[in-house]
Amino acid sequence: MSDAIIEKSKKKARSLILNLILMIGIGFAVLIGIQVYSLSKIAKINSRADHAESYVMLTESIKETLENSIQGYFMQLNPYVNSEIMKSENFDLVGNWLQQNPQIRAKDFDYIMIADSSGYSYNDNGTRTNIAERDYFKAIMFNGAKTYVDNPVISKTTGKKVIHVAKPIYGRDGKVFVMIAGVINVENLIQPMKNLTVPEGVSLYVIDHEGDIIYHPTFKDEINFISNTGKGHEDLSVVAKKMVNGESGHAFISSYTGSKYDLIVYSGLNGTQWGMGVTVPGRIVDSLGDKIANATIVFGLIMIIIILLLLLFLNDLLQ
């Protein structure tokens, strides 16, 4: 066999070996790419699940705090409910007594009011008001509600934005004698919410039954969680309707914070028709998953570079 034929056979063999090594290298690179993609997706999914679970627990804790505050307001009405004067069942006598004793009022209240079935109230700040059309009055006086917290309204007495914490006082016949309500300035209501500690970047919110904001650290009256969420944020409305109807859960919605999406954890507030919860920017939710994904990508690139260097080395050996 001539030297030319032998040399040609060797070149063909080297070419086959190089092609085989190249195919193996490409195969490894593809497998590493698939691994990087899969691990990145898994890391993000696990990160989202872990964050959702953590913020569900945080929301439950805040919810309990707010519900205890609301129950505390009702308890502060007990000195009136249990007062001896109420046994007289004389509305005008009780009304005059109320106006003569404003010092009984707890500091959380702007003023205290009582009203009989006429809807005309005595207020302990010395005024009287017709509240016959107010929903809290109707709920207590005519609809059998044991307690009621209304949506924020403008007070007919002070002109301030307030809520009413109302309950019935019963007569000897077991029927409602009067409705009593503590009136709370919304600014005073939300002050404890401002003092609650949440992680940096996370927003605590409380909305009323119509979707209007009672408290949010950045959103103001220009946003309504149900009827005016802004273009591209209609998914928030779906979640808001659930929370004000007492449902709890979490969802990922179009982001208001520059991320692709935000995590929103939500719940109803017992004793009210309100909703509350927290929103977490997507960049925070994905922070751990992104770190793992980035580390996986770096590892994958290093492996591909090693394979390329190995191919070049083998190519030199076979020359």
Side-chain angles (χ1 to χ4, degrees), residues 43-56 263 288:
K44 287 190 175 183
I45 291 171
N46 289 340
S47 176
R48 293 170 189 174
D50 290 343
H51 272 85
E53 183 177 353
S54 297
Y55 285 108
V56 165
L263 167 66
L288 177 60

Side-chain angles (χ1 to χ4, degrees), residues 95-102 105 110-113 120-129 157:
N96 288 323
W97 170 84
L98 180 72
Q99 293 188 331
Q100 291 166 12
N101 291 279
R105 181 201 319 143
D110 266 14
Y111 59 95
I112 302 294
M113 61 163 59
Y120 200 48
S121 73
Y122 280 95
N123 310 322
D124 73 351
N125 59 6
T127 62
R128 299 197 68 182
T129 315
T157 303

Side-chain angles (χ1 to χ4, degrees), residues 127-147:
T127 62
R128 299 197 68 182
T129 315
N130 185 350
I131 60 169
E133 82 285 3
R134 294 294 203 188
D135 58 352
Y136 61 90
F137 170 76
K138 295 176 182 177
I140 297 296
M141 189 59 67
F142 303 119
N143 297 334
K146 302 298 184 184
T147 59

Side-chain angles (χ1 to χ4, degrees), residues 32-303:
I32 290 170
I34 293 172
Q35 182 186 43
V36 167
Y37 175 79
S38 299
L39 290 176
S40 298
K41 293 289 287 184
I42 292 171
K44 287 190 175 183
I45 291 171
N46 289 340
S47 176
R48 293 170 189 174
D50 290 343
H51 272 85
E53 183 177 353
S54 297
Y55 285 108
V56 165
M57 294 174 63
L58 174 65
T59 301
E60 281 296 318
S61 175
I62 296 173
K63 173 189 174 185
E64 184 176 347
T65 299
L66 295 178
E67 288 175 347
N68 288 339
S69 295
I70 292 167
Q71 288 306 309
Y73 295 140
F74 283 114
M75 291 178 66
Q76 290 173 7
L77 296 176
N78 286 342
Y80 303 94
V81 176
N82 299 325
S83 175
E84 284 295 316
I85 194 70
M86 296 299 172
K87 295 178 181 179
S88 71
E89 297 189 32
N90 183 316
F91 177 58
D92 291 320
L93 182 65
V94 170
N96 288 323
W97 170 84
L98 180 72
Q99 293 188 331
Q100 291 166 12
N101 291 279
Q103 74 280 358
I104 302 174
R105 181 201 319 143
K107 62 181 179 61
D108 289 322
F109 297 124
D110 266 14
Y111 59 95
I112 302 294
M113 61 163 59
I114 63 167
D116 66 1
S117 58
S118 70
Y120 200 48
S121 73
Y122 280 95
N123 310 322
D124 73 351
N125 59 6
T127 62
R128 299 197 68 182
T129 315
N130 185 350
I131 60 169
E133 82 285 3
R134 294 294 203 188
D135 58 352
Y136 61 90
F137 170 76
K138 295 176 182 177
I140 297 296
M141 189 59 67
F142 303 119
N143 297 334
K146 302 298 184 184
T147 59
Y148 195 87
V149 180
D150 64 347
N151 291 333
V153 295
I154 301 301
S155 169
K156 290 185 174 184
T157 303
T158 65
K160 297 177 181 178
K161 197 172 186 180
V162 300
I163 66 164
H164 299 80
V165 179
K167 64 191 301 184
I169 298 178
Y170 296 98
R172 286 184 293 272
D173 61 1
K175 296 180 180 179
V176 178
F177 162 47
V178 292
M179 177 218 73
I180 184 165
V183 183
I184 305 170
N185 190 313
V186 168
E187 285 301 314
N188 295 333
L189 173 73
I190 68 175
Q191 190 57 48
M193 301 177 195
K194 293 180 179 179
N195 296 334
L196 289 172
T197 301
V198 296
E200 184 178 356
V202 176
S203 297
L204 165 67
Y205 62 85
V206 179
I207 62 172
D208 70 17
H209 195 69
E210 305 303 321
D212 287 321
I213 293 171
I214 296 175
Y215 173 69
H216 193 286
T218 54
F219 292 166
K220 303 303 178 186
D221 291 340
E222 71 274 7
I223 293 290
N224 179 292
F225 273 48
I226 293 176
S227 63
N228 184 26
T229 57
K231 187 176 181 180
H233 297 284
E234 292 79 9
D235 48 0
L236 174 59
S237 177
V238 175
V239 173
K241 290 175 183 177
K242 292 180 179 180
M243 70 179 81
V244 298
N245 287 318
E247 296 184 36
S248 299
H250 69 274
F252 291 96
I253 61 170
S254 299
S255 178
Y256 285 93
T257 62
S259 304
K260 185 176 180 180
Y261 64 88
D262 293 335
L263 167 66
I264 183 168
V265 183
Y266 59 90
S267 175
L269 274 174
N270 291 331
T272 75
Q273 301 178 75
W274 304 345
M276 59 79 58
V278 296
T279 52
V280 189
R283 58 181 171 77
I284 295 178
V285 175
D286 279 343
S287 58
L288 177 60
D290 286 340
K291 290 178 181 178
I292 296 174
N294 291 337
T296 306
I297 290 170
V298 170
F299 172 77
L301 290 174
I302 291 173
M303 291 299 296

